[in-house]
Amino acid sequence: RRELGRPPDSIRWQAEMRYRGQRHSLTVDFEGAPAGPYSGEPGLDFSGLDVIDYTGISGSKAGSSGADGSFTITANGEDFDLDGISLRSVGAYAYVQAAAYDDGAQVGSTWLVAYGSQASTSTFGTTFDDIDQVVFSIYGSGEFYVDDILTFL
């Protein structure tokens, strides 16, 4: 069903549904985003992530954690579900921790493996549902790339 005369996959439609209290899925794939610091999508804020031209995961763009190897996603004080993410390491491989928070308390974490030779896709269980922040950080130091971040707002 179309609401407000827009297709359901448009960012504006998603923002309007969130404003009206209706939850929806949102895939962040960076396509169409300008290169440079990435601030996010309606309902999601990103810090520490840059958009780069990169075809090693899917599409023609990806997010880069930068040299410090970390970035954060928040939901403007609201809760969201983190359902999946695709990763790729700059080097041979990297371990990346995803730590979930709700109201300032850590409610879960998991380790993901990012490979340099191919993209790896990780999915998250219910521990990453109804959270208001997730922090991704590499073990040690170094950069990793992300794409296709699946959320439910």
Side-chain angles (χ1 to χ4, degrees):
R1 178 175 91 138
R2 289 179 57 170
E3 298 250 352
L4 306 173
R6 290 180 199 51
D9 60 347
S10 77
I11 296 297
R12 184 164 174 79
W13 181 88
Q14 292 171 1
E16 287 170 354
M17 291 302 97
R18 178 142 176 90
Y19 174 77
R20 295 170 73 189
Q22 297 181 25
R23 296 192 75 189
H24 63 278
S25 63
L26 174 66
T27 300
V28 178
D29 64 8
F30 306 103
E31 298 304 314
Y38 185 68
S39 59
E41 302 288 346
L44 291 178
D45 288 328
F46 287 69
S47 62
L49 196 66
D50 289 327
V51 175
I52 60 170
D53 293 324
Y54 183 71
T55 59
I57 300 179
S58 71
S60 62
K61 304 244 182 185
S64 168
S65 68
D68 71 344
S70 68
F71 73 95
T72 302
I73 305 171
T74 58
N76 303 320
E78 300 292 326
D79 285 349
F80 69 101
D81 300 351
L82 179 66
D83 295 325
I85 191 169
S86 294
L87 303 167
R88 191 149 181 193
S89 171
V90 172
Y93 64 92
Y95 295 104
V96 177
Q97 182 182 38
Y101 296 85
D102 190 31
D103 298 327
Q106 186 172 338
V107 295
S109 71
T110 191
W111 286 95
L112 313 171
V113 180
Y115 299 99
S117 60
Q118 64 184 18
S120 59
T121 300
S122 299
T123 57
F124 300 90
T126 57
T127 303
F128 285 78
D129 288 354
D130 296 316
I131 59 174
D132 54 32
Q133 181 182 47
V134 63
V135 178
F136 291 90
S137 53
I138 198 166
Y139 177 75
S141 63
E143 181 177 16
F144 64 96
Y145 305 132
V146 300
D147 206 354
D148 301 329
I149 302 169
L150 309 175
T151 64
F152 190 72
L153 303 170

